[in-house]
Amino acid sequence: YTTYKSKKQHVTFIERNIQPRKMSVILCTAGYDHKIRFWEAPSGIISRTLRYPDSSVNCLSISPDKRFLAAGGNPHIRIFDIETPNNNCIVNCEGHTGAVTQVGFQAHDRWLYSSSEDGTIKIFDLRTSPHHPQRSFDCGKNVAVNSVVLYDTSTCNNQAENKNASTPTTQMGLVSGDSNGTVKIWDLGTSKCINSLHPAALERRRTKEPIQNVDLSGNHLVATSSRGTVYVWDVSSNNGDVSSSLTDLKPLVKFQAHSKCAYLLKARISPDGMSLVTTSSDTSIKLWDTKTWECSQVLQSHTKWVWDAVFSADSSYLVSASSDYSARLWNLRDGTVVRRYTEYQMAVTCVALNDCST
């Protein structure tokens, strides 16, 4: 099982029903040193190290069932097996020609989506070989796609049917943010862009503000510019049809999360939907209440740029990654640093955490 030489083996590795090991928390970090480190979260001890030979690692994503890790570099996406001691890449997703900025798994690990500085969003079917893009969405020439997030309106209404879906359905879509300052909504049923927003242009600004991050959770779509501005839209719908509400987005609030003299690097909505986290080159991490959109907490301990942050499943903890050669685990109840992960001599630029119980 630890080697994959034939096409048949490549095709079946995702589909094979394997009894997972009892690993309650998967925490990994990566950065400029071409290594991915797995950590024992409570102790701060490294449990495993993977080499990423091509480039620095820009982004990480752990599959919902904790079986696989996807790592995006320049320009490859490599997938590693978490459950076995095999430290070699088991799948190489090719097709991007620029640095990969974000990766994510579909809920049942059937396919992977990604964004890149080459101006495209791609979907890879993980059950076929070779692993070339099944679909590709072009966001324009000389445009870098900085962020992408999946929405699935069938999760609540038709979960059983969606579990067996072999390809993206009409109830699924993607939201992207790019260097032109545009937020785009993509319908996976038609493979078309169904909405395009340019927040800064609506305010008649002369300067372009790249959209650095997008995230979607509950009733909110959030986009953040690299210059620290947060835009929030209401995606709630009276009839519960999220896909239709995304074609007619209602602006909810706009605020300045960090100084325009700094860069806003990452923004994520917490799993419980109650908080938004933003990280910045100003070394700070800020938490925002999604009911009032007021700053509820400022976490200050890193000494250099904070590139990434991810919540625990219960939204009580946060793990951050920084250029100060460390990642840190925060207790959000009191804002203290619980653990430092420090075995680095170069910047830590991305972190992934999966501590879900199911």
Side-chain angles (χ1 to χ4, degrees):
Y1 176 68
T2 58
T3 60
Y4 300 89
K5 297 181 181 178
S6 70
K7 180 178 179 180
K8 182 177 180 181
Q9 285 172 308
H10 275 292
V11 172
T12 60
F13 96 94
I14 286 287
E15 297 175 326
R16 194 173 299 177
N17 184 18
I18 302 168
Q19 184 65 32
R21 294 190 314 183
K22 300 293 184 181
M23 299 179 69
S24 60
V25 179
I26 308 294
L27 172 63
C28 51
T29 58
Y32 287 169
D33 68 354
H34 297 222
K35 293 180 181 178
I36 301 168
R37 292 171 172 84
F38 287 78
W39 302 86
E40 293 181 5
S43 66
I45 296 172
I46 296 174
S47 60
R48 185 179 181 184
T49 301
L50 306 177
R51 294 195 61 82
Y52 195 94
D54 309 289
S55 65
S56 59
V57 181
N58 302 323
C59 49
L60 296 169
S61 180
I62 300 167
S63 64
D65 62 7
K66 304 179 184 177
R67 290 166 59 191
F68 306 108
L69 171 71
N74 187 4
H76 301 287
I77 301 169
R78 302 201 182 279
I79 298 179
F80 299 88
D81 192 332
I82 294 175
E83 295 180 342
T84 73
N86 177 23
N87 286 341
N88 296 318
C89 159
I90 58 172
V91 170
N92 180 26
C93 297
E94 297 183 344
H96 284 299
T97 58
V100 178
T101 55
Q102 195 156 348
V103 290
F105 287 93
Q106 179 260 356
H108 303 287
D109 302 347
R110 305 296 176 118
W111 45 274
L112 182 100
Y113 59 92
S114 61
S115 60
S116 170
E117 291 180 355
D118 64 11
T120 68
I121 302 164
K122 298 189 187 297
I123 292 177
F124 298 87
D125 189 335
L126 298 179
R127 296 163 303 160
T128 62
S129 179
H131 296 282
H132 296 304
Q134 179 193 26
R135 299 192 193 182
S136 184
F137 304 87
D138 191 352
C139 295
K141 294 182 179 179
N142 302 317
V143 176
V145 185
N146 296 321
S147 182
V148 65
V149 63
L150 174 73
Y151 70 86
D152 184 354
T153 61
S154 68
T155 301
C156 297
N157 301 325
N158 204 3
Q159 188 171 3
E161 179 180 339
N162 182 54
K163 182 175 180 179
N164 297 320
S166 59
T167 59
T169 71
T170 55
Q171 295 171 306
M172 299 180 189
L174 296 166
V175 182
S176 64
D178 61 46
S179 59
N180 269 351
T182 307
V183 177
K184 293 184 177 180
I185 316 296
W186 303 88
D187 187 322
L188 297 188
T190 62
S191 297
K192 293 181 180 179
C193 177
I194 59 173
N195 201 354
S196 182
L197 304 169
H198 201 306
L202 293 175
E203 298 170 2
R204 298 181 179 179
R205 295 187 185 180
R206 295 182 179 179
T207 58
K208 181 171 61 178
E209 284 193 8
I211 297 297
Q212 191 68 21
N213 296 274
V214 290
D215 203 4
L216 181 68
S217 177
N219 295 330
H220 300 130
L221 168 62
V222 173
T224 59
S225 78
S226 60
R227 290 300 181 182
T229 308
V230 177
Y231 303 92
V232 184
W233 292 270
D234 184 0
V235 296
S236 61
S237 174
N238 292 331
N239 60 10
D241 186 355
V242 176
S243 58
S244 64
S245 65
L246 287 170
T247 63
D248 186 24
L249 290 168
K250 303 171 186 176
L252 188 62
V253 69
K254 183 201 83 169
F255 58 93
Q256 194 69 31
H258 298 267
S259 168
K260 291 186 177 182
C261 297
Y263 293 102
L264 195 160
L265 300 172
K266 183 62 69 174
R268 294 184 197 268
I269 301 172
S270 61
D272 63 8
M274 301 299 291
S275 298
L276 171 75
V277 64
T278 59
T279 73
S280 173
S281 62
D282 66 11
T283 75
S284 73
I285 302 167
K286 295 184 179 181
L287 279 298
W288 305 85
D289 187 322
T290 57
K291 291 184 177 179
T292 64
W293 297 106
E294 297 291 332
C295 184
S296 59
Q297 206 169 15
V298 179
L299 306 178
Q300 202 84 52
S301 177
H302 285 295
T303 58
K304 293 184 179 180
W305 292 25
V306 185
W307 287 97
D308 199 2
V310 61
F311 287 96
S312 63
D314 65 359
S315 304
S316 296
Y317 293 86
L318 187 82
V319 184
S320 57
S322 171
S323 288
D324 64 8
Y325 311 159
S326 76
R328 304 190 185 195
L329 173 64
W330 304 80
N331 184 338
L332 297 183
R333 295 183 182 90
D334 56 16
T336 59
V337 176
V338 177
R339 183 67 58 197
R340 288 175 169 83
Y341 309 99
T342 58
E343 298 293 323
Y344 281 92
Q345 270 133 48
M346 300 182 80
V348 187
T349 56
C350 51
V351 57
L353 171 67
N354 186 337
D355 63 332
C356 294
S357 57
T358 57

